[in-house]
Amino acid sequence: MSQPTIKTNPGRYFEDFHPGLILNHATPRTLTDGDAALTLALYGARHALFSSAPFAAACGLAPAPLDPLLVFHTVFGKTVPDISLNAVANLGYAEGRFLASVSAGDTITSTSEVLGVKETSNGKTGVVYVRTTGVNQHGAPVLSYVRWVLVRKRDAAAPAPADSAPKTAPFVPASDLVLPTGLDFSGYDFGLAGAPHAFEDYVVGEKIDHVDGMVVEEAEAQMATRLYQNTAKVHFNQFERAKDPSGRRLVYGGVVISTARGLSFNGLENAGLILGINAGRHVNPYFAGATLFAWSQVLDAQPIPGRSDVGALRLRLVATKDRPCHDFPDKDDAGAYPAEVVLDLDYWAAVPRRGA
Amino acid sequence: MSQPTIKTNPGRYFEDFHPGLILNHATPRTLTDGDAALTLALYGARHALFSSAPFAAACGLAPAPLDPLLVFHTVFGKTVPDISLNAVANLGYAEGRFLASVSAGDTITSTSEVLGVKETSNGKTGVVYVRTTGVNQHGAPVLSYVRWVLVRKRDAAAPAPADSAPKTAPFVPASDLVLPTGLDFSGYDFGLAGAPHAFEDYVVGEKIDHVDGMVVEEAEAQMATRLYQNTAKVHFNQFERAKDPSGRRLVYGGVVISTARGLSFNGLENAGLILGINAGRHVNPYFAGATLFAWSQVLDAQPIPGRSDVGALRLRLVATKDRPCHDFPDKDDAGAYPAEVVLDLDYWAAVPRRGA
Amino acid sequence: MSQPTIKTNPGRYFEDFHPGLILNHATPRTLTDGDAALTLALYGARHALFSSAPFAAACGLAPAPLDPLLVFHTVFGKTVPDISLNAVANLGYAEGRFLASVSAGDTITSTSEVLGVKETSNGKTGVVYVRTTGVNQHGAPVLSYVRWVLVRKRDAAAPAPADSAPKTAPFVPASDLVLPTGLDFSGYDFGLAGAPHAFEDYVVGEKIDHVDGMVVEEAEAQMATRLYQNTAKVHFNQFERAKDPSGRRLVYGGVVISTARGLSFNGLENAGLILGINAGRHVNPYFAGATLFAWSQVLDAQPIPGRSDVGALRLRLVATKDRPCHDFPDKDDAGAYPAEVVLDLDYWAAVPRRGA
């Protein structure tokens, strides 16, 4: 037989990325009611906007929107084969904005542009910065965010490229946030939503212990990660992971984010609609079986120009494993986190105002 | 910063309940095909009415109804934050009636009225009786039942309220059962449904060993319980449960009910349509990993006035863990159950008659 | 009370099968978006045809088809109570053809005809050959395949029936394959689908190591198997299985097939549309927790008469447990498989041609 071509995807190495490179990611994905039900089953989310079509319609959103984090995980999952198959670590997120609602029946594709690269001092790896955009079936962007990952070099002897690392904003300015078309919280039913706390009730600096704890099982972590078509080996290949010092499959960080968000319902019942992601770090690995806890801090509270029905809260969500959060476990002055802290996420959410 | 208000839900204590109190529970829930698929995946139910839209339509039910127990779990789940967050135990059910079919796309909300309270003799807890009603998006009731729970007092020194415990009916009279609108079993296809046994074939007193056994895994129990947005801590917080003598998360009793119902298909293939719940007790705790078995007894068989196509069977469903049911494990004369019995449920189901 | 009839299904024994017997299997099943989402969550499949409705529509398939293996598992599951409840082993498949697309909302029923029987030499068991046909709600066949199973005799002393074992084809001729109505790969978007490899790029004899590995957890195996309403005891009853030398529940072979197919995306991205199943053997048992790997070999490549947009690849899919496939683990000259090989499947898939 003639020599066949290589059929499997070896993934890109650091040398394969250069500023301006456009990556059109594979596997468009139609999200459905099935994905919404699995999202509930996996995270126990209770935000009324994503649980009840009539509630969403009463807020001006018909058809009902899907949980923005489902959109985030879907958009993110598509980038893995092109960006992070040979990644050592996911280092950070910035400048994330949700730009349009996504509803059951909508189809998502993802594209990334390499913003810059910077070799690390050891010469074996480099940081790749990309802006990823999720687009719906009409070509309209639904999500945009910057992410940077540490990627292996194919050849350590290859010369370092010029440092083209971009400067990212420390957080999304409130004035850049985009409300879903049609959103109207003027008749928001706080009772049905589960708590009376309005935008005005949250105080900058306030910390909230979300009290509840929840385990993620291996099966749950795998089902969620597959649902997003995120095929990173560390989440599934136990045979290979047995050689890692942990000996364990690593749970996809997005599962930790969504579980912590589910827990944060207890105290942030009306902050379901995420508008932006300012920053995020997976501080320590999370392995299935540990109990996740979470606490939040209100970092900022901004009105939205021309709107009396809704404001934007900037929230910090910290998740821990096997450690309740009544004492708000946090990094120390040197920026070092306790071993139990697994997530530090900074985001904006739309919260109804109490009204006139 | 000014002192923020408490944001998390501490739950109600015994002193917070009084007869006549109305609780409008949070988080309306639109049920979908996704929930139906998860119900099949979690319990392996095979009743044709809930598996096949054309079969349901041929029985006069279009759109196809969802499994009544999915409706029960959904209605129940919403009551947890308001009623049973500080509960010690769920003591019983009575007077449960399904009042209208629920189909994919329908949205359920729950309301409860406190019927009465009764302090227990130790002065530390009390029993709270509530009637809970599930309502669809048109305001029509779909389910109503009475439940009583043992709830902690906030302050053991608080004086006991007057005993206002209601008398509940020992079972729902057959004449009070409500058939779904349009139901017509006159052309019921026993072959497609999986068994030839009609209403006339069941004999009062008859016992049926359902033979099959099935394990519930932790991931399955958690996914089901989250799907119902039931957030009771005992089902999820392993860190806290490690301090319990069992050291285990407790599986939500509704998961045991639905698994036992799934097993009972083998012998009760045509009794899928539950009309009423007469009584129910979770006799012993069930922890994930044990194999569930089940047996049933026919307690009564009642014609339905004016109907030749359908009758009502009153059935007792007993479930065990790690003990097959060929010898019908049961309570003794003093009412004490073997340690392997986990459920004793008394319900009504609609069963097709053989026809004229 | 009068003596009630036996209500539970004892299953058929070898003596109960004879050539020409028609079995109309129970429980019609309406497949939905919920089943499609669970299929993604359970197997991580990424074939664009089953992931994106617009992609499918651009290939002439609207509404979007469901994964053919979901159809296979659904049709198969219905046969279990009538055919394999007392089976010792599932021996093989042949002559499998997918005859029409199945989309969300379609309802599947199954029928089997006994083709022949042959008692085994020990006189305690016999092989039963059946042709099973899945039909949609319009009565149109969607899948047909032959399967043979080893079934226990009720009475070892019963005389052996005449040998009526049919001859099955070693593989489906390419000329018998049926393309879904409307299929048009002339504008196939290889970029969106995830790889540039067209029909012309695959060489007969070529072997592909799919590289990736994936664990199936007990909860995942059970949820999948229940979704197909396959109630074979070996998959669920741990109490009984504890007496087996393995001490373990056996994972349904279809779960292994679909997981291996999911893995095979890495190298066979454009071969998602299965047209036929030529042969299949579950070579060794698979128990949850082991990591599955897979490799494929191109057995044949056939044009489809009159079509320049699509060809048919005959593929062999071999799956292993806890053994990577870079060295293509295979049977030896005597036909004996290494203990790590769990599946050897021979099938046809439609693959887009590069175009004129």
Side-chain angles (χ1 to χ4, degrees):
Chain A
M1 75 190 197
S2 65
Q3 192 60 26
T5 52
I6 297 292
K7 295 301 189 308
T8 48
N9 174 20
R12 279 182 182 76
Y13 291 86
F14 179 65
E15 297 92 320
D16 301 323
F17 295 96
H18 56 84
L21 177 69
I22 303 286
L23 299 163
N24 293 306
H25 307 300
T27 318
R29 174 83 156 81
T30 304
L31 294 170
T32 70
D33 285 338
D35 298 292
L38 274 164
T39 298
L40 287 181
L42 290 164
Y43 305 123
R46 285 171 286 156
H47 300 102
L49 269 184
F50 315 120
S51 172
S52 164
F55 188 97
C59 295
L61 303 179
L66 296 167
D67 185 329
L69 286 177
L70 171 58
V71 176
F72 177 81
H73 299 323
T74 302
V75 170
F76 182 99
K78 318 225 145 306
T79 70
V80 169
D82 293 319
I83 294 175
S84 39
L85 218 57
N86 297 311
V88 180
N90 197 34
L91 298 180
Y93 307 103
E95 302 183 12
R97 293 190 305 151
F98 290 91
L99 301 167
S101 282
V102 174
S103 297
D106 286 344
T107 300
I108 303 298
T109 50
S110 297
T111 305
S112 296
E113 177 181 358
V114 178
L115 300 179
V117 297
K118 181 182 179 180
E119 189 166 301
T120 41
S121 53
N122 67 16
K124 295 179 183 166
T125 56
V127 181
V128 176
Y129 296 77
V130 297
R131 170 169 293 285
T132 296
T133 305
V135 171
N136 70 15
Q137 70 275 21
H138 306 300
V142 298
L143 168 64
S144 174
Y145 65 92
V146 173
R147 168 189 174 214
W148 51 105
V149 287
L150 188 66
V151 179
R152 257 181 281 273
K153 289 176 71 178
R154 184 182 287 108
D155 173 12
D163 175 352
S164 53
K167 252 190 132 64
T168 57
F171 61 92
V172 178
S175 55
D176 285 359
L177 299 173
V178 177
L179 294 178
T181 302
L183 183 77
D184 179 0
F185 275 166
S186 61
Y188 191 89
D189 188 329
F190 291 87
L192 269 185
H197 318 304
F199 176 73
E200 294 81 356
D201 298 319
Y202 289 91
V203 179
V204 175
E206 175 178 0
K207 292 181 178 178
I208 302 166
D209 169 21
H210 299 301
V211 180
D212 302 322
M214 187 167 276
V215 173
V216 176
E217 297 286 337
E218 296 279 15
E220 295 167 343
Q222 290 199 141
M223 289 182 71
T225 309
R226 291 190 199 104
L227 193 69
Y228 313 136
Q229 301 179 311
N230 175 336
T231 58
K233 296 159 207 256
V234 291
H235 306 317
F236 299 108
N237 189 337
Q238 178 57 37
F239 183 84
E240 187 67 28
R241 292 294 296 171
K243 302 169 194 161
D244 183 83
S246 74
R248 302 287 306 277
R249 280 162 282 170
L250 187 66
V251 170
Y252 163 49
V255 169
V256 173
I257 293 176
S258 278
T259 304
R261 276 280 298 170
L263 292 170
S264 77
F265 179 85
N266 193 354
L268 288 168
E269 292 84 349
N270 301 314
L273 191 65
I274 299 187
L275 298 176
I277 294 178
N278 298 306
R281 278 188 60 195
H282 300 292
V283 176
N284 282 298
Y286 171 78
F287 304 109
T291 303
L292 284 168
F293 295 89
W295 63 274
S296 291
Q297 184 168 26
V298 181
L299 298 181
D300 198 359
Q302 290 289 334
I304 292 180
R307 300 290 296 243
S308 60
D309 60 324
V310 57
L313 287 186
R314 184 176 162 205
L315 296 159
R316 186 175 162 225
L317 176 63
V318 178
T320 61
K321 55 183 175 186
D322 285 341
R323 178 167 169 185
C325 290
H326 48 78
D327 62 347
F328 308 108
D330 205 348
K331 56 189 170 187
D332 62 21
D333 293 342
Y337 287 88
E340 299 97 339
V341 174
V342 292
L343 174 72
D344 193 349
L345 183 74
D346 178 339
Y347 68 99
W348 285 105
V351 178
R353 302 188 68 140
R354 186 161 290 109
Chain B
M1 74 191 200
S2 66
Q3 192 59 26
T5 52
I6 296 292
K7 295 300 190 308
T8 49
N9 173 19
R12 278 182 183 75
Y13 290 86
F14 180 65
E15 296 93 319
D16 302 322
F17 295 96
H18 56 83
L21 177 68
I22 303 286
L23 299 163
N24 293 307
H25 306 300
T27 318
R29 175 83 156 80
T30 304
L31 294 170
T32 70
D33 285 338
D35 298 292
L38 274 163
T39 298
L40 287 181
L42 290 164
Y43 306 122
R46 286 171 286 157
H47 299 102
L49 269 184
F50 316 120
S51 172
S52 165
F55 189 99
C59 295
L61 304 179
L66 295 168
D67 185 330
L69 286 177
L70 170 59
V71 176
F72 176 80
H73 301 321
T74 302
V75 170
F76 182 99
K78 318 226 144 305
T79 70
V80 169
D82 293 319
I83 293 175
S84 40
L85 218 58
N86 298 310
V88 180
N90 197 34
L91 298 179
Y93 307 103
E95 302 183 12
R97 294 190 305 151
F98 291 91
L99 301 168
S101 282
V102 175
S103 298
D106 286 343
T107 300
I108 304 297
T109 50
S110 297
T111 305
S112 296
E113 177 180 359
V114 178
L115 299 179
V117 297
K118 181 181 180 182
E119 188 165 302
T120 41
S121 54
N122 67 16
K124 294 180 185 168
T125 56
V127 181
V128 176
Y129 295 78
V130 297
R131 172 170 291 286
T132 297
T133 305
V135 171
N136 69 15
Q137 69 275 22
H138 307 299
V142 298
L143 169 65
S144 173
Y145 65 92
V146 173
R147 169 188 174 216
W148 51 105
V149 287
L150 188 65
V151 179
R152 258 181 281 273
K153 289 177 70 177
R154 181 181 288 107
D155 172 12
D163 175 353
S164 54
K167 252 191 133 62
T168 57
F171 61 91
V172 178
S175 55
D176 285 358
L177 299 174
V178 177
L179 294 178
T181 303
L183 182 77
D184 179 0
F185 275 166
S186 60
Y188 190 89
D189 188 330
F190 290 87
L192 269 186
H197 317 303
F199 175 74
E200 294 82 354
D201 298 318
Y202 289 92
V203 179
V204 173
E206 175 179 1
K207 291 181 180 179
I208 302 165
D209 169 20
H210 298 302
V211 180
D212 302 321
M214 186 167 277
V215 172
V216 176
E217 298 286 337
E218 295 279 14
E220 295 167 343
Q222 289 199 143
M223 288 181 71
T225 310
R226 291 190 200 104
L227 193 69
Y228 312 135
Q229 300 179 311
N230 175 336
T231 58
K233 296 159 207 257
V234 292
H235 307 317
F236 298 109
N237 189 338
Q238 179 57 38
F239 183 84
E240 188 66 28
R241 291 295 295 172
K243 302 169 195 164
D244 183 83
S246 73
R248 301 288 305 277
R249 280 162 282 171
L250 187 67
V251 170
Y252 163 50
V255 169
V256 173
I257 293 176
S258 278
T259 304
R261 276 280 298 171
L263 293 169
S264 78
F265 180 86
N266 193 354
L268 288 168
E269 291 85 348
N270 302 315
L273 192 64
I274 299 186
L275 298 176
I277 295 177
N278 299 306
R281 277 189 60 196
H282 300 291
V283 175
N284 282 298
Y286 171 77
F287 303 108
T291 304
L292 285 168
F293 295 89
W295 63 274
S296 292
Q297 184 169 26
V298 180
L299 297 182
D300 198 0
Q302 290 289 333
I304 291 180
R307 301 290 296 242
S308 60
D309 60 324
V310 57
L313 287 186
R314 184 177 162 203
L315 296 159
R316 185 176 163 225
L317 176 63
V318 178
T320 61
K321 55 183 175 186
D322 285 341
R323 178 168 169 184
C325 290
H326 49 78
D327 62 347
F328 308 108
D330 206 348
K331 56 189 168 186
D332 63 20
D333 294 343
Y337 287 87
E340 299 97 338
V341 174
V342 292
L343 173 73
D344 193 350
L345 183 75
D346 179 340
Y347 69 98
W348 285 105
V351 179
R353 303 189 67 140
R354 185 161 291 108
Chain C
M1 74 189 199
S2 65
Q3 192 60 27
T5 51
I6 296 292
K7 297 299 190 309
T8 48
N9 174 19
R12 279 181 182 76
Y13 290 86
F14 179 65
E15 297 92 321
D16 302 321
F17 295 96
H18 56 83
L21 176 68
I22 303 285
L23 300 162
N24 293 307
H25 307 299
T27 318
R29 174 82 156 80
T30 304
L31 294 170
T32 69
D33 285 337
D35 297 292
L38 274 163
T39 298
L40 287 182
L42 290 164
Y43 306 123
R46 286 171 287 157
H47 299 103
L49 269 183
F50 315 121
S51 172
S52 165
F55 189 98
C59 295
L61 303 178
L66 295 167
D67 185 330
L69 286 177
L70 171 58
V71 176
F72 176 81
H73 300 322
T74 301
V75 170
F76 182 101
K78 319 226 144 306
T79 70
V80 169
D82 293 319
I83 293 175
S84 39
L85 218 58
N86 298 310
V88 180
N90 198 35
L91 298 180
Y93 308 102
E95 302 183 10
R97 293 190 305 150
F98 291 91
L99 301 166
S101 283
V102 175
S103 298
D106 286 344
T107 299
I108 304 297
T109 51
S110 297
T111 305
S112 296
E113 177 181 359
V114 178
L115 299 179
V117 298
K118 181 181 181 181
E119 188 166 302
T120 41
S121 54
N122 66 15
K124 295 180 184 167
T125 55
V127 181
V128 177
Y129 295 78
V130 297
R131 171 169 292 286
T132 296
T133 305
V135 171
N136 69 16
Q137 70 275 22
H138 307 299
V142 298
L143 168 65
S144 173
Y145 66 92
V146 174
R147 168 188 174 215
W148 51 105
V149 287
L150 188 65
V151 180
R152 258 180 279 274
K153 289 176 70 176
R154 183 181 287 107
D155 172 12
D163 175 354
S164 53
K167 252 191 135 61
T168 56
F171 61 93
V172 178
S175 55
D176 286 359
L177 299 174
V178 177
L179 293 179
T181 302
L183 183 77
D184 180 359
F185 276 166
S186 60
Y188 191 88
D189 188 330
F190 290 87
L192 269 185
H197 317 304
F199 176 74
E200 294 82 354
D201 298 318
Y202 289 91
V203 179
V204 174
E206 175 179 0
K207 292 181 179 178
I208 302 165
D209 169 19
H210 299 302
V211 180
D212 302 322
M214 187 168 274
V215 172
V216 176
E217 297 287 337
E218 296 280 15
E220 294 166 345
Q222 291 199 142
M223 289 181 70
T225 309
R226 292 191 199 103
L227 193 70
Y228 313 136
Q229 301 179 312
N230 176 336
T231 58
K233 297 160 208 255
V234 292
H235 307 317
F236 297 110
N237 189 338
Q238 179 57 37
F239 184 84
E240 189 66 27
R241 292 294 296 170
K243 302 169 194 161
D244 182 83
S246 73
R248 302 287 306 276
R249 280 162 281 171
L250 188 66
V251 170
Y252 163 51
V255 169
V256 174
I257 293 176
S258 278
T259 304
R261 276 280 297 170
L263 292 170
S264 77
F265 180 86
N266 193 355
L268 287 168
E269 291 85 348
N270 301 314
L273 192 64
I274 298 187
L275 298 176
I277 294 178
N278 298 307
R281 277 189 59 197
H282 300 290
V283 175
N284 282 299
Y286 171 78
F287 303 109
T291 303
L292 285 167
F293 296 88
W295 63 274
S296 292
Q297 183 168 27
V298 180
L299 298 180
D300 198 359
Q302 290 290 333
I304 292 180
R307 300 290 295 243
S308 60
D309 60 324
V310 58
L313 288 186
R314 184 177 163 204
L315 297 159
R316 185 176 163 224
L317 176 63
V318 179
T320 61
K321 54 183 175 186
D322 285 341
R323 178 169 169 183
C325 290
H326 49 79
D327 61 347
F328 309 109
D330 206 348
K331 57 189 168 187
D332 62 21
D333 292 344
Y337 287 87
E340 299 96 339
V341 174
V342 292
L343 172 73
D344 192 350
L345 183 75
D346 178 340
Y347 69 99
W348 285 106
V351 178
R353 302 188 68 139
R354 185 161 290 110

